[in-house]
Amino acid sequence: MTVRVGILISGGGSNMVTLARSMTGVHPARPCVVVSNNPDAGGLDRARNMGLPAVAVDHRSYGKDRAAFEAALSEAIEPYGADILCLAGFMRVLTGDFVGKWQGRMLNIHPSLLPKYRGLDTHARAIAAGDREAGCTVHEVTPALDDGPILGQGRVPVLPGDTPDDLAARVLKVEHRLYPAVLRRFAAGDRRPVILRQT
Ligand code: GAR
């Protein structure tokens, strides 16, 4: 049986594109819908250009009512029958209620080597700390922010003189290798972590 994957984005959606492209041929999963909380997200058009349904649920319409936003999000996803959700640059914090409904079936990619640097500005923080190595993590989503069982990590060097943008670009390249590799395993029921070495 094919596993159906919904992808949640907020921005350009480069991780979404690599995930969607990876799900072809002999692969346990297929993308079923792309949803963004930001109607202007560039990733929505990129999804449509790949022939995927792409839906915006603007969180601003719901003000501080996270439950109402998440109800609308669930309603948008529901018709597509997703088995797994991949957060791919989705920049809203989800409540315990929503996370609970998807527990064990929702993945996130975070641009740091968790447990280091949960939250925002991960690259600036790694540089400020003098770290020699940075990277990204794919993990199962649990109610605590950027927490949950680690399903894979990819590492890159921090080079002398790196700006946060330099480092972000280097990490993003590894994200594009890591997330598809983790999803392929996860969709096949294999939760052993994927460890990508520096290339
Ligand atoms: C990626 O670097 C992802 O790791 C990060 O946002 C970027 C999205 O890029 N996610 C987070 O910071 C989540 N807290 P993309 O839209 O090109 O995939």
Side-chain angles (χ1 to χ4, degrees):
M1 204 196 73
T2 304
V3 176
R4 296 171 70 81
V5 177
I7 307 174
L8 271 51
I9 64 169
S10 297
S14 70
N15 276 291
M16 177 277 295
V17 170
T18 57
L19 285 176
R21 284 201 182 130
S22 73
M23 288 182 260
T24 53
V26 185
H27 192 293
R30 290 290 184 269
C32 63
V33 66
V34 173
V35 182
S36 174
N37 65 296
N38 167 17
D40 300 323
L44 286 170
D45 275 342
R46 296 177 86 179
R48 291 185 190 112
N49 289 337
M50 289 189 292
L52 292 174
V55 186
V57 179
D58 190 346
H59 68 274
R60 291 168 304 188
S61 315
Y62 303 91
K64 290 194 169 137
D65 191 346
R66 285 183 187 270
F69 166 64
E70 291 177 354
L73 197 58
S74 296
E75 206 172 296
I77 297 165
E78 207 276 329
Y80 300 96
D83 302 299
I84 291 175
L85 286 187
C86 286
L87 308 185
F90 183 71
M91 303 306 280
R92 303 300 298 170
V93 174
L94 295 165
T95 67
D97 266 5
F98 189 91
V99 172
K101 283 185 196 132
W102 288 94
Q103 186 100 37
R105 303 188 296 139
M106 181 156 59
L107 312 185
N108 179 44
I109 189 156
H110 183 74
S112 78
L113 294 171
L114 290 174
K116 276 191 160 183
Y117 313 129
R118 297 186 167 98
L120 300 175
D121 300 323
T122 55
H123 305 301
R125 288 155 71 198
I127 290 168
D131 291 356
R132 305 271 297 273
E133 198 176 49
C136 53
T137 304
V138 176
H139 64 96
E140 268 181 54
V141 178
T142 55
L145 182 70
D146 299 329
D147 204 20
I150 289 177
L151 298 168
Q153 286 190 315
R155 293 167 184 276
V156 299
V158 181
L159 300 178
D162 265 352
T163 64
D165 284 350
D166 295 333
L167 184 54
R170 197 173 306 122
V171 170
L172 192 62
K173 278 192 192 161
V174 188
E175 294 187 36
H176 294 164
R177 290 170 49 221
L178 181 69
Y179 212 172
V182 170
L183 177 62
R184 183 181 284 268
R185 273 196 182 178
F186 188 83
D190 180 352
R191 288 166 193 228
R192 284 174 304 154
V194 175
I195 303 299
L196 295 184
R197 303 278 160 215
Q198 289 184 15
T199 50

